Amino acid sequence: MSETKEKSQAALLKEKLFVNRKNGCRKVSAEEMKKADEFCEEYKNFLDHAKVEREAVIYALDAAKIAGFTEYDPAKTYKAGDKVYVNNRGKAVMLAVIGKNGTHNGVRLGIAHIDSPRLDLKPNPLYENKDLALFKTHYYGGIKKYQWPTVPLALHGVVALKDGSSINIEIGEDESDPCFCVTDLLPHLAVEQMSQVMTKAFNGEHLNVLVGSRPFNEDEESESVKLNILNILFEKYGIVEEDFLSADLQMVPAFKARDLGFDRSMIGAYGHDDKVCAYPALMAAIDTDMPESTIITVLTDREEIGSDGNTGMKSTYLIDFVADLAESDGEKARHVMAKSTCLSADVNAAYDPTYASAFEANNSSFINCGAVITKYTGSGGKYSTSDASAEYMAKIRQVLDNAGVLWQTGELGKVDGGGGGTIAKFVANLNADVVDLGVPVLSMHAPMEVVSKLDVYMTYRALYEFYTA
Ligand code: MN
Ligand code: MN
């Protein structure tokens, strides 16, 4: 065999000066790849049990309690190493590990969101038309409406009753359960539909979910198909039509997370955005034992609709918690926030060769190239985004490189191609340093999204190293 060929001067200089854009699979060891695959086994289980934010909170609290987290009590004093959680209405959760320096040098924040695009039931959803029973829906988050018809759907959520009790509902996930779907027109009769622009061909009022077709009995009453559905719901859950008013019910894709590709290198699932960052953030919080500064992991709600609402990042719930922690250290929240740093853990669009014209390849994130750092999101002339400072970017590069975490950078598509945002700007507006870091996703916001196992694991490692650096 020949000896190793000596590298040319240009090759050596390239190595020194160029960004190394090799596929991450060529950069990591077989052992690390195995760890990534193992990490993703439980991630898939999380996806199957946390399709909506309430379920993600339940999963997170169960895991946190096992790891020694207890409910935060502002009246108590905590010492370094203590682990506490705050449950915000069952729809968002914060996990903190008290650091050796407490909040004196600021806190380290890792924030991901646990809501995903879906079809919410309207407050008065059930109706009958020509002997079919259907649910009216109001979509939540940015969806391409044409993707949702003919996909098997499951119903998740909670119905709150006037007596103060609540009923949890999950129908369509078990193989033996019925599922639901939005119907679509057959191609034979779709001449007019197919000639329309997509936004016209499928609008929000088309997203009606088929839920039944048999009448109650032989009585010639009107709306007896609807009556039959209400009767089934009454017998099973004790609810009547008016109870839909006090419910959070969501239709989500009914299928489970699955390995994708002959090589099983990827995962196809509903809700990667942003469970694919929430799960690594949760695991990083659980694995962090005695950090220098207090770490706070936030699994927040309402990101997909702009973070408005009491469980979203425009709410004061995070800053109020920081204020409580600061006070017990004899600090002021504003001084703590000014010294705090944050990884806003959210996804970015992975480069898709089929839709190459939407991307600018030099500044896109790629599947299997590691956690993606997104300096800014927004749209147009950098509107509606924070822009991480040069100094903070340098600090994050240092943390990740010192720990050998595989990472890359990416913008959200090409300039003026559209745009989007994350919670980074809301945290930046609280006067902390923040940058987005997360997983590149193919088919983002579709009923089935795709991520790479290696990237999921590297996002966990990035968050863990950020917490413990
Ligand atoms: Mn997101
Ligand atoms: Mn999103």
Side-chain angles (χ1 to χ4, degrees), residues 162-268:
K162 282 192 286 186
D163 68 5
S165 64
S166 326
I167 298 159
N168 288 313
I169 290 182
E170 189 197 288
I171 311 168
E173 295 295 345
D174 194 277
E175 299 275 297
S176 63
D177 283 354
C179 66
F180 312 95
C181 82
V182 174
T183 56
D184 194 7
L185 198 53
L186 61 168
H188 317 64
L189 299 180
V191 174
E192 193 190 323
Q193 182 194 44
M194 297 297 275
S195 66
Q196 284 178 310
V197 294
M198 278 165 158
T199 49
K200 288 264 160 57
F202 297 90
N203 65 51
E205 296 296 350
H206 281 125
L207 298 173
N208 305 318
V209 179
L210 186 58
V211 298
S213 67
R214 281 189 190 166
F216 173 65
N217 61 15
E218 291 97 67
D219 297 344
E220 289 291 324
E221 282 288 328
S222 65
E223 298 191 285
S224 58
V225 177
K226 170 177 166 176
L227 178 65
N228 194 37
I229 299 301
L230 279 174
N231 189 45
I232 291 168
L233 292 174
F234 183 75
E235 283 184 345
K236 185 155 187 201
Y237 301 109
I239 58 174
V240 298
E241 189 175 18
E242 198 182 281
D243 294 323
F244 281 121
L245 269 179
S246 52
D248 290 335
L249 291 168
Q250 293 115 14
M251 285 286 180
V252 295
F255 42 77
K256 287 186 158 59
R258 295 179 69 169
D259 286 350
L260 194 136
F262 288 114
D263 56 8
R264 295 181 177 268
S265 58
M266 296 167 281
I267 301 168

Side-chain angles (χ1 to χ4, degrees), residues 113 117 273 303-304 346-347 421 444-445:
H113 66 92
D273 179 9
E303 193 277 341
E304 293 298 354
D346 208 344
V347 297
M444 194 197 295
H445 285 203

Side-chain angles (χ1 to χ4, degrees), residues 312-462:
M313 281 317 291
K314 282 189 192 167
S315 154
T316 60
Y317 75 91
L318 168 62
I319 190 67
D320 291 346
F321 182 42
V322 171
D324 281 342
L325 294 175
E327 271 170 37
S328 65
D329 288 340
E331 291 278 351
K332 289 193 169 66
R334 62 176 190 271
H335 299 149
V336 170
M337 283 313 290
K339 287 180 276 188
S340 291
T341 51
C342 175
L343 287 183
S344 161
D346 208 344
V347 297
N348 199 331
Y351 185 89
D352 187 337
T354 304
Y355 299 99
S357 66
F359 297 88
E360 190 268 285
N362 286 330
N363 288 283
S364 294
S365 61
F366 291 81
I367 289 282
N368 279 330
C369 287
V372 52
I373 299 176
T374 306
K375 191 171 183 291
Y376 50 84
T377 56
S379 62
K382 291 192 173 183
Y383 291 96
S384 293
T385 181
S386 65
D387 194 336
S389 71
E391 293 84 353
Y392 188 52
M393 288 292 283
K395 204 180 276 182
I396 296 300
R397 281 174 61 200
Q398 184 201 32
V399 169
L400 301 185
D401 283 344
N402 284 352
V405 176
L406 186 70
W407 62 274
Q408 56 181 325
T409 57
E411 262 199 72
L412 185 67
K414 68 179 182 188
V415 177
D416 289 338
T422 66
I423 58 94
K425 63 180 174 181
F426 308 120
V427 183
N429 292 346
L430 295 173
N431 195 23
D433 274 307
V434 55
V435 69
D436 279 299
L437 180 143
V439 176
V441 179
L442 289 166
S443 308
M444 194 197 295
H445 285 203
M448 187 172 88
E449 305 174 308
V450 177
V451 300
S452 123
K453 290 180 179 177
L454 182 60
D455 299 338
V456 180
Y457 179 63
M458 286 301 165
T459 297
Y460 157 77
R461 285 208 55 210

Side-chain angles (χ1 to χ4, degrees), residues 106-138:
V107 294
R108 302 255 165 93
L109 294 158
I111 311 180
H113 66 92
I114 47 178
D115 58 323
S116 301
R118 64 193 183 223
L119 306 181
D120 285 351
L121 297 201
K122 288 191 183 185
N124 187 23
L126 183 61
Y127 70 104
E128 175 178 338
N129 195 342
K130 294 279 181 287
D131 289 345
L132 294 178
L134 299 116
F135 276 154
K136 291 301 293 182
T137 66
H138 194 142

Side-chain angles (χ1 to χ4, degrees), residues 60-75:
L61 287 179
D62 285 351
K65 284 173 192 168
I66 291 169
F69 285 78
T70 58
E71 187 165 20
Y72 177 67
D73 177 355

Side-chain angles (χ1 to χ4, degrees), residues 28-37 404 454 457-458 461:
V28 303
S29 65
E31 191 192 342
E32 193 137 51
M33 199 64 102
K34 196 169 157 241
K35 278 188 191 163
D37 290 347
L454 182 60
Y457 179 63
M458 286 301 165
R461 285 208 55 210

